[in-house]
Amino acid sequence: MRYVTELPFETTVEDHWIPLADGTRLAARVWRPVDPTPVPAILEYLPYRLSDWTAPRDAQRHPYYAGHGYASVRVDIRGSGNSDGHQDDEYSPTELADGVAVVEWLAAQEWCSGKVGMFGISWGGFNALQVAALAPEALAAIVTVCSTDDRYDNDVHYTGGSVLAVDMHAWAATMLAFCSRPPDPAVVGDRWKEQWLDRLERTEPFVHTWLDHQTRDDYWRHGSVIEDYSAIKAAVLAVGGWNDPYRDTVLRLVAAGDATADGDRALGGPVRGIVGPWSHQYPDRGLPPGPSIGFLQETLRWWDQFLKDEDTGALDEPALRAWVTESVPPATVYDELPGRWVGEERWPSPHVRPTVLPFAGAPGGTDDVDDAAVATVLRTTAPLVTHLPARPGPASGGPAAPAVVPPSCLVASPQHTGIDAGRFFPFGNDADLPPDQREEDGRSVCFDSPPLTQRLEILGRARVRLRLSCAGDKGQVVARLCDVGPDGSSTLVTRGVLNLSAREGRDRVVPWEPGATHDVTFELSGVGYALAPGHRLRLALSSAYWPWVWPQPGGAALAVAPAGSSLELPLHDGAAPGGHPVVTFEEPEQAPPLGVVYPEDADQRPERRVVRDVAADEWLLEVDPRYGGTRIYPDGLEFTEDALERYWIGRDPLSARTRSDWSVRLRRPGATPSDLAWDASVVTRSEISCDAEFFHTDDEVVARDGEDVVFERRWRRSIRRTAG
């Protein structure tokens, strides 16, 4: 990392209140050149408190952009940080309308040239896409990082039509704690407490709304730009990481920006995509897994091209620049992954061939694979070999499953299958990524190839087609693609989920007729990965995946018929002559750090801990998300937060339950060391449990000013299980 102190423009930083039509004021911070010549503005718009929580990250990039001739602007959405108003959900129509108003306000300032860009990661990236779809005239370009175009099937609430238990719970609990934090009296003055109490009175747990909408209805279509890509007129640079759950959005956006035969594009403006090996982080921060890139320089090329009308060569880059990881042993963290960058001039790429691999037991076998390259790579391994673990049958009892069950394979996974799934949102922490998958594979039905004789490179989204029957009217199937080394270690490559009731579309519930057989097809998340010679490709199927996926009532077993089932791989010809432009990036550079101090925590608990109660036959997963701990800012503000997530499951799928506890404290010293000018704290508790008919939610907030409790409230709701 290179910290840049000498930049082309001398800069200044100012705090502003941005007025909205209804009288609400949004808190904003503007870094811009001292030179009065108008410059383009770049907006980052999100709810994570510019005065403290994102201040260290903001200091890395906003001064950098300002020093290169931009007004770089950070705004807290209404009801968050020091902004007025109330926040009642993610990406509400009001929030997006406010975003348009902010763009228009920026364009009208005397220090702005009239052209505006938007950028952001996660929530900020979502807002960049969604505000762009509203097409404010001044918005010429966006950079969206680790964001989604599909709020239902590629966000933190549902996956494959199933409730995404791990983040439906964790993120709702996080937002309850975040929405309950007070504004800062150093910014808003004496009205801070009145504003805080009003904010608390208006707070409602987001989980109520999310569980009220268990299929892809109009609630989820709102803000999902996949519904109408053509609404986006701004130039789009989409960036993601293979270890981030939103990476498929980059692939879809690049495909939507590719010209069709008649010259039309789904996206209204130019689009380019970059997918690296990264977690849910900006790719210049140097957090695992790397390698990191000169992301700020790359985005400057984008801004200069579309906000300053300079030809920077940004549009000469391949449509998609993607990292391909080489075979690695399983680990929960990698400082850097081995691999290489590839460039694809179009996406879908002519260098990627969807190739069907039938399961053993399908008619014909290798002779049915007409792709010579695949036959050469896999030789006689195209039909996958079936393996079943020797283990007890379903929870209701029954004989042990034999090692191989032709002509169908029983999939009746223990409910704690998924305990080694890793974190849904890896942030670069030591325990984020999935460990060795051998134990998970032992709880699943596995289809293996013989050892590969040549390197096998995958780029894009694999697809699974299964001919299966289900013993009940509800069920789900999870597919994991793994790289099995010569020593038997199993590295997770990618995975996918299907709620069987969503097999005909995420917008409807179609019960399964018990015992009936259907063909179902679903995609796995995108990946760039190359398996080494001597390794085996493994497809593992399970009927449970806790705590990622909330279990269905009954825990019905599945029977998969190899005949009629297959795996379709997006095989990439990495050696295509002249087909792959050279892809290089500069080394990362940033503005100097803010100077925040992070005291060491001598009693820090494990990031991820699995506990098995043998007598009760219950499993507990404890997760410390490690969002930040304690930090002390240059002005003396001490911000401390602590969170612990817990997930329990037994033999019965109805035993699933979750709990998240948060505490947040903000303290600022007064005139003497023993005096506190400000001391506010929030403690929250969030729980979800279930029975066959309902989800039960239980949430609580306690807020204190010093030692005095100033607010306390509890919410309990039972929400009918319609699809989840």
Side-chain angles (χ1 to χ4, degrees), residues 211 546 550-554 648-649 652-658 687-697 717-721 724:
L211 284 174
W546 176 259
W550 200 281
Q552 293 281 355
W648 291 268
I649 194 78
D652 186 342
L654 300 182
S655 66
R657 56 191 175 98
T658 67
E687 299 183 42
I688 306 177
S689 60
C690 68
D691 56 35
E693 299 295 327
F694 292 92
F695 290 108
H696 304 289
T697 66
R717 275 197 61 186
S718 293
I719 301 169
R720 185 168 294 279
R721 301 180 70 163

Side-chain angles (χ1 to χ4, degrees), residues 154-386:
N154 194 192
D155 201 350
V156 300
H157 318 94
Y158 295 88
T159 181
S162 287
V163 172
L164 188 58
V166 67
D167 250 56
M168 173 76 81
H169 157 75
W171 190 239
T174 300
M175 286 311 300
L176 181 62
F178 279 22
C179 289
S180 300
R181 293 175 296 179
D184 191 335
V187 177
V188 304
D190 292 340
R191 67 188 182 97
W192 76 272
K193 189 170 180 180
E194 177 185 356
Q195 187 175 346
W196 183 28
L197 293 175
D198 183 53
R199 183 179 292 181
L200 288 164
E201 290 287 351
R202 297 284 293 270
T203 294
E204 286 288 334
F206 290 2
V207 70
H208 297 164
T209 301
W210 299 344
L211 284 174
D212 278 338
H213 299 273
Q214 294 176 32
T215 58
R216 184 185 177 84
D217 57 12
D218 287 343
Y219 171 79
W220 298 112
R221 293 186 184 99
H222 162 76
S224 293
V225 301
I226 195 173
E227 296 291 321
D228 182 11
Y229 286 131
S230 66
I232 299 176
K233 310 303 180 187
V236 177
L237 176 60
V239 182
W242 293 129
N243 286 293
D244 178 75
Y246 296 147
R247 69 252 199 189
D248 295 334
T249 288
V250 178
L251 304 182
R252 288 192 293 266
L253 287 171
V254 174
D258 199 7
T260 60
D262 57 7
D264 291 334
R265 288 186 304 216
L267 273 167
V271 60
R272 293 294 184 271
I274 303 172
V275 189
W278 313 301
S279 61
H280 194 70
Q281 295 284 358
Y282 278 122
D284 58 309
R285 299 191 69 192
L287 295 168
S292 54
I293 65 169
F295 173 72
L296 293 180
Q297 302 98 296
E298 194 64 29
T299 57
L300 273 177
R301 295 176 64 204
W302 197 254
W303 303 132
D304 289 348
Q305 180 84 39
F306 296 103
L307 301 184
K308 293 184 176 179
D309 298 320
E310 298 176 3
D311 186 1
T312 64
L315 290 180
D316 297 330
E317 297 292 350
L320 177 67
R321 286 170 281 177
W323 178 265
V324 177
T325 297
E326 299 294 333
S327 276
V328 287
T332 59
V333 66
Y334 305 91
D335 288 335
E336 288 200 358
L337 286 165
R340 66 189 179 102
W341 288 100
V342 299
E344 300 297 334
E345 298 287 3
R346 298 188 60 185
W347 190 263
S349 169
H351 302 126
V352 174
R353 288 182 288 180
T355 304
V356 176
L357 304 177
F359 292 2
T366 310
D367 295 338
D368 283 354
V369 181
D370 58 6
D371 189 309
V374 176
T376 300
V377 170
L378 297 181
R379 291 184 180 267
T380 59
T381 67
L384 300 175
V385 181
T386 308

